[in-house]
Amino acid sequence: MVNRPRAASGKTAALRARLEAVRAGGPPQKAAAQRKAGKLLARERLDALLDEDSFHEIGALVRSHSHEFGLDRRDIPADGVVTGIGRINGRSVCVFSQDFTVLGGSLGLAHARKICRLMDLALEAGTPILGLCDSGGARIQEGVDALAGYAEIFHRNVQASGRIPQISAILGPCAGGAAYSPALTDFVCMVDKISRMFINGPDVLRAETGEDVDPETLGGARMHSDTSGACHLLANSEQDCFRLIRELLEYLPQNCLQAPRLLPPSDDPFRESALLEKIALSDPHRSYDMRAVVRELADNGRFFEPHRNFARNILTGFLRLDGEAVGVVANAPSHLSGALDILASEKAARFVRFCD
């Protein structure tokens, strides 16, 4: 007797149709505008970041319960954010991806609750939490409810600090609360010419102060990478951003109770170094490249350096020694003679706190 698969019932077919509609995201014209701006869609970003076929979505059918300003009559797929669990290089991670094609990725109460539930799961399971941020901030139609949602996210950012790695990717214009939460996370990656992060945008600044400033100067990726220090990793494209995040995770533990992944030793610990000998014998009154020294010490010359462009008189980053992940703090004589100032001290202190 041959068992043939039964046709889907009416309810099952209806559920699948609803899920397909949600996965389609916002209107086609919004998706076209997103691509024209050189940006991936929310679900495309998850495909690019995570291991193939590893993503399991949570809360796909969640929607806003707000009735104000006609929100109950609007189609808001997934309430503007895709949340779930996936894998990166075989390791479990919790990740959310905001959908700019759905009400500009704005955060309402249901949107916030999805992120909060994911953060709670990450804390309970002891897995890193990753946020792919592309949001205009609070959903103004939901008023105080949206602000309360941000408060819940900020609270969880603080609770997760020092317990699980928190990584944010800024992949579009993020203003207000959409910038506050990433600033509370451990590492922020931004994409040059695409990412923007500010408390208030240029229009608000112009209305309040009369000052005219372009978005890149006010909150662009290079400004935050070089001047404010809010950006740890500067990427050339979204694909480059995801590559940096995957590489960063290779040096981090799943949580504070575990050690980072130990790799098989691949570098001779007894090898001699002509470069280090040359630097040791050079004129002590002349500067030298500290990065070259760090790379020479590292296994296979690999040094991963967050905050490369900020407070350049000190270096912070990760390398491996005999296969074990190690944090590095080093004065950089080639910039300000490696002297410590306020920014360099804060950069080093924050990195040491994270390593601890």
Side-chain angles (χ1 to χ4, degrees):
M1 183 176 180
V2 178
N3 292 322
R4 292 188 176 90
R6 290 185 300 173
S9 68
K11 288 185 178 180
T12 302
L15 176 60
R16 288 175 177 170
R18 289 178 64 193
L19 287 171
E20 286 301 316
V22 165
R23 288 170 184 148
Q29 62 269 26
K30 297 289 185 180
Q34 183 87 339
R35 290 197 172 95
K36 186 177 181 181
K39 297 160 62 179
L40 297 175
L41 302 182
R43 294 176 186 275
E44 292 174 345
R45 287 166 173 163
L46 293 171
D47 291 339
L49 173 63
L50 301 173
D51 296 349
E52 188 175 359
D53 296 326
S54 70
F55 181 65
H56 298 278
E57 187 170 357
I58 299 171
L61 298 178
V62 169
R63 59 174 294 128
S64 173
H65 294 291
S66 175
H67 298 279
E68 303 295 333
F69 301 97
L71 280 180
D72 55 326
R73 298 188 299 274
R74 300 189 64 172
D75 184 26
I76 312 175
D79 209 63
V81 63
V82 185
T83 57
I85 300 170
R87 291 186 177 275
I88 291 181
N89 296 325
R91 295 171 53 183
S92 294
V93 296
C94 290
V95 58
F96 67 86
S97 180
Q98 293 178 309
D99 191 344
F100 198 75
T101 70
V102 179
L103 297 183
S106 59
L107 183 138
L109 186 57
H111 183 128
R113 283 175 174 168
K114 288 180 67 173
I115 294 176
C116 288
R117 182 187 179 198
L118 189 73
M119 296 178 79
D120 291 339
L121 286 173
L123 275 167
E124 184 179 346
T127 63
I129 178 81
L130 281 59
L132 309 185
C133 307
D134 192 1
S135 169
R139 189 175 298 163
I140 196 68
Q141 296 95 325
E142 296 195 31
V144 175
D145 282 345
L147 300 181
Y150 268 126
E152 291 294 332
I153 292 174
F154 302 158
H155 173 71
R156 284 163 174 81
N157 285 137
V158 175
Q159 294 301 307
S161 181
R163 296 171 63 186
I164 56 173
Q166 300 181 81
I167 301 173
S168 299
I170 307 299
L171 302 173
C174 292
Y180 304 157
S181 176
L184 293 172
T185 60
D186 299 311
F187 295 96
V188 175
C189 186
M190 300 181 72
V191 181
D192 194 22
K193 306 300 183 185
I194 289 179
S195 305
R196 289 161 189 164
M197 185 166 59
F198 27 61
I199 296 173
N200 281 312
D203 293 339
V204 175
L205 188 67
R206 188 181 303 111
E208 293 296 326
T209 68
E211 184 176 354
D212 229 344
V213 61
D214 65 274
E216 281 296 316
T217 302
L218 181 63
R222 289 202 173 272
M223 189 282 291
H224 283 304
S225 173
D226 300 351
T227 306
S228 77
C231 170
H232 299 79
L233 301 168
L234 179 64
N236 297 318
S237 65
E238 289 195 29
Q239 294 288 354
D240 187 39
C241 173
F242 301 143
R243 178 191 63 79
L244 289 170
I245 291 174
R246 292 173 69 94
E247 187 175 352
L248 170 62
L249 280 170
E250 284 297 295
Y251 294 95
L252 306 184
Q254 284 292 90
N255 54 66
C256 64
L257 300 178
Q258 297 183 19
R261 180 182 294 178
L262 180 66
L263 298 184
S266 57
D267 194 13
D268 181 6
F270 300 105
R271 62 179 167 84
E272 296 184 355
S273 171
L275 174 64
L276 294 181
E277 185 175 1
K278 179 181 178 181
I279 291 176
L281 297 175
S282 63
D283 184 352
H285 299 291
R286 301 190 63 179
S287 67
Y288 57 89
D289 184 1
M290 180 59 78
R291 284 192 184 89
V293 175
V294 173
R295 290 194 184 98
E296 190 70 10
L297 293 172
D299 289 356
N300 305 312
R302 294 185 61 186
F303 175 47
F304 187 84
E305 186 182 359
H307 264 159
R308 179 185 177 92
N309 301 319
F310 176 66
R312 292 180 294 152
N313 36 327
I314 199 160
L315 308 182
T316 57
F318 302 99
L319 51 74
R320 288 188 179 273
L321 296 177
D322 205 30
E324 186 171 346
V326 176
V328 175
V329 178
N331 298 86
S334 58
H335 189 79
L336 297 180
S337 299
L340 285 177
D341 56 13
I342 293 174
L343 295 181
S345 300
E346 290 180 347
K347 171 182 171 179
R350 180 170 180 176
F351 182 76
V352 170
R353 284 198 303 271
F354 175 80
C355 291
D356 192 37

